[in-house]
PDB file of all heavy atoms in Angstrom:
ATOM      1  N   ILE A  35      95.295 124.590 107.279  1.00 93.00           N
ATOM      2  CA  ILE A  35      93.834 124.564 107.103  1.00 93.00           C
ATOM      3  C   ILE A  35      93.438 125.341 105.856  1.00 93.00           C
ATOM      4  O   ILE A  35      92.579 124.911 105.066  1.00 93.00           O
ATOM      5  CB  ILE A  35      93.143 125.142 108.349  1.00 93.00           C
ATOM      6  CG1 ILE A  35      93.358 124.211 109.546  1.00 93.00           C
ATOM      7  CG2 ILE A  35      91.644 125.338 108.101  1.00 93.00           C
ATOM      8  CD1 ILE A  35      92.816 124.742 110.861  1.00 93.00           C
ATOM      9  N   TYR A  36      94.067 126.498 105.657  1.00 93.00           N
ATOM     10  CA  TYR A  36      93.794 127.281 104.443  1.00 93.00           C
ATOM     11  C   TYR A  36      94.170 126.473 103.193  1.00 93.00           C
ATOM     12  O   TYR A  36      93.439 126.457 102.197  1.00 93.00           O
ATOM     13  CB  TYR A  36      94.591 128.582 104.453  1.00 93.00           C
ATOM     14  CG  TYR A  36      93.944 129.709 105.225  1.00 93.00           C
ATOM     15  CD1 TYR A  36      94.602 130.324 106.294  1.00 93.00           C
ATOM     16  CD2 TYR A  36      92.680 130.182 104.869  1.00 93.00           C
ATOM     17  CE1 TYR A  36      94.006 131.360 107.001  1.00 93.00           C
ATOM     18  CE2 TYR A  36      92.076 131.223 105.571  1.00 93.00           C
ATOM     19  CZ  TYR A  36      92.761 131.811 106.636  1.00 93.00           C
ATOM     20  OH  TYR A  36      92.171 132.837 107.328  1.00 93.00           O
ATOM     21  N   GLY A  37      95.327 125.814 103.244  1.00 91.00           N
ATOM     22  CA  GLY A  37      95.773 125.032 102.094  1.00 91.00           C
ATOM     23  C   GLY A  37      94.816 123.891 101.782  1.00 91.00           C
ATOM     24  O   GLY A  37      94.478 123.656 100.612  1.00 91.00           O
ATOM     25  N   ILE A  38      94.378 123.191 102.809  1.00 92.00           N
ATOM     26  CA  ILE A  38      93.424 122.093 102.617  1.00 92.00           C
ATOM     27  C   ILE A  38      92.113 122.618 102.035  1.00 92.00           C
ATOM     28  O   ILE A  38      91.547 122.035 101.102  1.00 92.00           O
ATOM     29  CB  ILE A  38      93.173 121.369 103.954  1.00 92.00           C
ATOM     30  CG1 ILE A  38      94.447 120.656 104.423  1.00 92.00           C
ATOM     31  CG2 ILE A  38      92.032 120.363 103.813  1.00 92.00           C
ATOM     32  CD1 ILE A  38      94.354 120.126 105.841  1.00 92.00           C
ATOM     33  N   SER A  39      91.643 123.732 102.575  1.00 94.00           N
ATOM     34  CA  SER A  39      90.390 124.323 102.091  1.00 94.00           C
ATOM     35  C   SER A  39      90.507 124.711 100.617  1.00 94.00           C
ATOM     36  O   SER A  39      89.601 124.445  99.815  1.00 94.00           O
ATOM     37  CB  SER A  39      90.030 125.551 102.939  1.00 94.00           C
ATOM     38  OG  SER A  39      89.895 125.218 104.300  1.00 94.00           O
ATOM     39  N   GLY A  40      91.630 125.343 100.262  1.00 92.00           N
ATOM     40  CA  GLY A  40      91.833 125.737  98.870  1.00 92.00           C
ATOM     41  C   GLY A  40      91.839 124.559  97.932  1.00 92.00           C
ATOM     42  O   GLY A  40      91.267 124.606  96.835  1.00 92.00           O
ATOM     43  N   MET A  41      92.485 123.454  98.362  1.00 90.00           N
ATOM     44  CA  MET A  41      92.557 122.266  97.507  1.00 90.00           C
ATOM     45  C   MET A  41      91.190 121.613  97.358  1.00 90.00           C
ATOM     46  O   MET A  41      90.818 121.176  96.265  1.00 90.00           O
ATOM     47  CB  MET A  41      93.559 121.262  98.096  1.00 90.00           C
ATOM     48  CG  MET A  41      93.785 120.028  97.232  1.00 90.00           C
ATOM     49  SD  MET A  41      94.322 120.448  95.549  1.00 90.00           S
ATOM     50  CE  MET A  41      95.927 121.157  95.866  1.00 90.00           C
ATOM     51  N   VAL A  42      90.415 121.558  98.433  1.00 92.00           N
ATOM     52  CA  VAL A  42      89.060 120.989  98.362  1.00 92.00           C
ATOM     53  C   VAL A  42      88.201 121.785  97.388  1.00 92.00           C
ATOM     54  O   VAL A  42      87.486 121.224  96.542  1.00 92.00           O
ATOM     55  CB  VAL A  42      88.413 120.954  99.760  1.00 92.00           C
ATOM     56  CG1 VAL A  42      86.922 120.608  99.662  1.00 92.00           C
ATOM     57  CG2 VAL A  42      89.112 119.947 100.654  1.00 92.00           C
ATOM     58  N   ILE A  43      88.256 123.124  97.500  1.00 93.00           N
ATOM     59  CA  ILE A  43      87.481 123.979  96.589  1.00 93.00           C
ATOM     60  C   ILE A  43      87.918 123.749  95.144  1.00 93.00           C
ATOM     61  O   ILE A  43      87.073 123.652  94.235  1.00 93.00           O
ATOM     62  CB  ILE A  43      87.648 125.464  96.983  1.00 93.00           C
ATOM     63  CG1 ILE A  43      87.018 125.731  98.350  1.00 93.00           C
ATOM     64  CG2 ILE A  43      87.025 126.376  95.930  1.00 93.00           C
ATOM     65  CD1 ILE A  43      87.309 127.120  98.892  1.00 93.00           C
ATOM     66  N   ALA A  44      89.225 123.685  94.906  1.00 90.00           N
ATOM     67  CA  ALA A  44      89.737 123.503  93.551  1.00 90.00           C
ATOM     68  C   ALA A  44      89.287 122.163  92.960  1.00 90.00           C
ATOM     69  O   ALA A  44      88.889 122.080  91.791  1.00 90.00           O
ATOM     70  CB  ALA A  44      91.258 123.597  93.560  1.00 90.00           C
ATOM     71  N   ILE A  45      89.344 121.106  93.767  1.00 89.00           N
ATOM     72  CA  ILE A  45      88.947 119.772  93.282  1.00 89.00           C
ATOM     73  C   ILE A  45      87.461 119.731  92.954  1.00 89.00           C
ATOM     74  O   ILE A  45      87.052 119.272  91.882  1.00 89.00           O
ATOM     75  CB  ILE A  45      89.304 118.697  94.325  1.00 89.00           C
ATOM     76  CG1 ILE A  45      90.824 118.547  94.434  1.00 89.00           C
ATOM     77  CG2 ILE A  45      88.675 117.365  93.948  1.00 89.00           C
ATOM     78  CD1 ILE A  45      91.261 117.620  95.537  1.00 89.00           C
ATOM     79  N   LEU A  46      86.628 120.226  93.873  1.00 91.00           N
ATOM     80  CA  LEU A  46      85.184 120.197  93.656  1.00 91.00           C
ATOM     81  C   LEU A  46      84.787 121.057  92.451  1.00 91.00           C
ATOM     82  O   LEU A  46      83.905 120.680  91.669  1.00 91.00           O
ATOM     83  CB  LEU A  46      84.454 120.690  94.913  1.00 91.00           C
ATOM     84  CG  LEU A  46      84.585 119.791  96.151  1.00 91.00           C
ATOM     85  CD1 LEU A  46      83.859 120.414  97.339  1.00 91.00           C
ATOM     86  CD2 LEU A  46      84.032 118.397  95.863  1.00 91.00           C
ATOM     87  N   THR A  47      85.451 122.190  92.298  1.00 90.00           N
ATOM     88  CA  THR A  47      85.154 123.062  91.160  1.00 90.00           C
ATOM     89  C   THR A  47      85.511 122.382  89.850  1.00 90.00           C
ATOM     90  O   THR A  47      84.748 122.435  88.872  1.00 90.00           O
ATOM     91  CB  THR A  47      85.923 124.387  91.282  1.00 90.00           C
ATOM     92  OG1 THR A  47      85.576 125.034  92.515  1.00 90.00           O
ATOM     93  CG2 THR A  47      85.593 125.317  90.120  1.00 90.00           C
ATOM     94  N   THR A  48      86.662 121.736  89.818  1.00 87.00           N
ATOM     95  CA  THR A  48      87.103 121.048  88.594  1.00 87.00           C
ATOM     96  C   THR A  48      86.166 119.896  88.247  1.00 87.00           C
ATOM     97  O   THR A  48      85.814 119.694  87.076  1.00 87.00           O
ATOM     98  CB  THR A  48      88.539 120.535  88.764  1.00 87.00           C
ATOM     99  OG1 THR A  48      89.401 121.623  89.077  1.00 87.00           O
ATOM    100  CG2 THR A  48      89.027 119.852  87.491  1.00 87.00           C
ATOM    101  N   ILE A  49      85.757 119.135  89.257  1.00 87.00           N
ATOM    102  CA  ILE A  49      84.849 118.013  89.011  1.00 87.00           C
ATOM    103  C   ILE A  49      83.509 118.500  88.457  1.00 87.00           C
ATOM    104  O   ILE A  49      82.864 117.816  87.656  1.00 87.00           O
ATOM    105  CB  ILE A  49      84.638 117.212  90.317  1.00 87.00           C
ATOM    106  CG1 ILE A  49      85.925 116.495  90.713  1.00 87.00           C
ATOM    107  CG2 ILE A  49      83.509 116.204  90.157  1.00 87.00           C
ATOM    108  CD1 ILE A  49      85.838 115.757  92.027  1.00 87.00           C
ATOM    109  N   ALA A  50      83.088 119.691  88.894  1.00 86.00           N
ATOM    110  CA  ALA A  50      81.793 120.238  88.472  1.00 86.00           C
ATOM    111  C   ALA A  50      81.813 120.854  87.084  1.00 86.00           C
ATOM    112  O   ALA A  50      80.768 121.276  86.575  1.00 86.00           O
ATOM    113  CB  ALA A  50      81.314 121.277  89.483  1.00 86.00           C
ATOM    114  N   LEU A  51      82.982 120.914  86.420  1.00 83.00           N
ATOM    115  CA  LEU A  51      83.054 121.485  85.078  1.00 83.00           C
ATOM    116  C   LEU A  51      82.235 120.652  84.092  1.00 83.00           C
ATOM    117  O   LEU A  51      82.198 119.410  84.196  1.00 83.00           O
ATOM    118  CB  LEU A  51      84.496 121.579  84.610  1.00 83.00           C
ATOM    119  CG  LEU A  51      85.399 122.569  85.360  1.00 83.00           C
ATOM    120  CD1 LEU A  51      86.838 122.451  84.871  1.00 83.00           C
ATOM    121  CD2 LEU A  51      84.897 123.995  85.178  1.00 83.00           C
ATOM    122  N   PRO A  52      81.580 121.295  83.115  1.00 80.00           N
ATOM    123  CA  PRO A  52      80.695 120.571  82.178  1.00 80.00           C
ATOM    124  C   PRO A  52      81.396 119.474  81.394  1.00 80.00           C
ATOM    125  O   PRO A  52      80.812 118.441  81.114  1.00 80.00           O
ATOM    126  CB  PRO A  52      80.208 121.691  81.228  1.00 80.00           C
ATOM    127  CG  PRO A  52      80.379 122.959  81.998  1.00 80.00           C
ATOM    128  CD  PRO A  52      81.586 122.745  82.874  1.00 80.00           C
ATOM    129  N   GLY A  53      82.639 119.665  81.035  1.00 74.00           N
ATOM    130  CA  GLY A  53      83.333 118.685  80.193  1.00 74.00           C
ATOM    131  C   GLY A  53      83.900 117.493  80.935  1.00 74.00           C
ATOM    132  O   GLY A  53      84.461 116.586  80.309  1.00 74.00           O
ATOM    133  N   VAL A  54      83.779 117.467  82.241  1.00 79.00           N
ATOM    134  CA  VAL A  54      84.345 116.377  83.040  1.00 79.00           C
ATOM    135  C   VAL A  54      83.393 115.188  83.031  1.00 79.00           C
ATOM    136  O   VAL A  54      82.207 115.317  83.342  1.00 79.00           O
ATOM    137  CB  VAL A  54      84.619 116.831  84.486  1.00 79.00           C
ATOM    138  CG1 VAL A  54      85.094 115.654  85.325  1.00 79.00           C
ATOM    139  CG2 VAL A  54      85.653 117.946  84.501  1.00 79.00           C
ATOM    140  N   THR A  55      83.915 114.038  82.662  1.00 77.00           N
ATOM    141  CA  THR A  55      83.117 112.814  82.641  1.00 77.00           C
ATOM    142  C   THR A  55      83.776 111.754  83.521  1.00 77.00           C
ATOM    143  O   THR A  55      84.814 112.003  84.142  1.00 77.00           O
ATOM    144  CB  THR A  55      82.977 112.278  81.198  1.00 77.00           C
ATOM    145  OG1 THR A  55      84.294 112.041  80.673  1.00 77.00           O
ATOM    146  CG2 THR A  55      82.269 113.309  80.316  1.00 77.00           C
TER     147      THR A  55
END
Side-chain angles (χ1 to χ4, degrees):
I35 293 175
Y36 276 122
I38 294 170
S39 301
M41 184 56 66
V42 170
I43 294 172
I45 291 174
L46 294 178
T47 302
T48 302
I49 292 176
L51 293 175
V54 175
T55 58

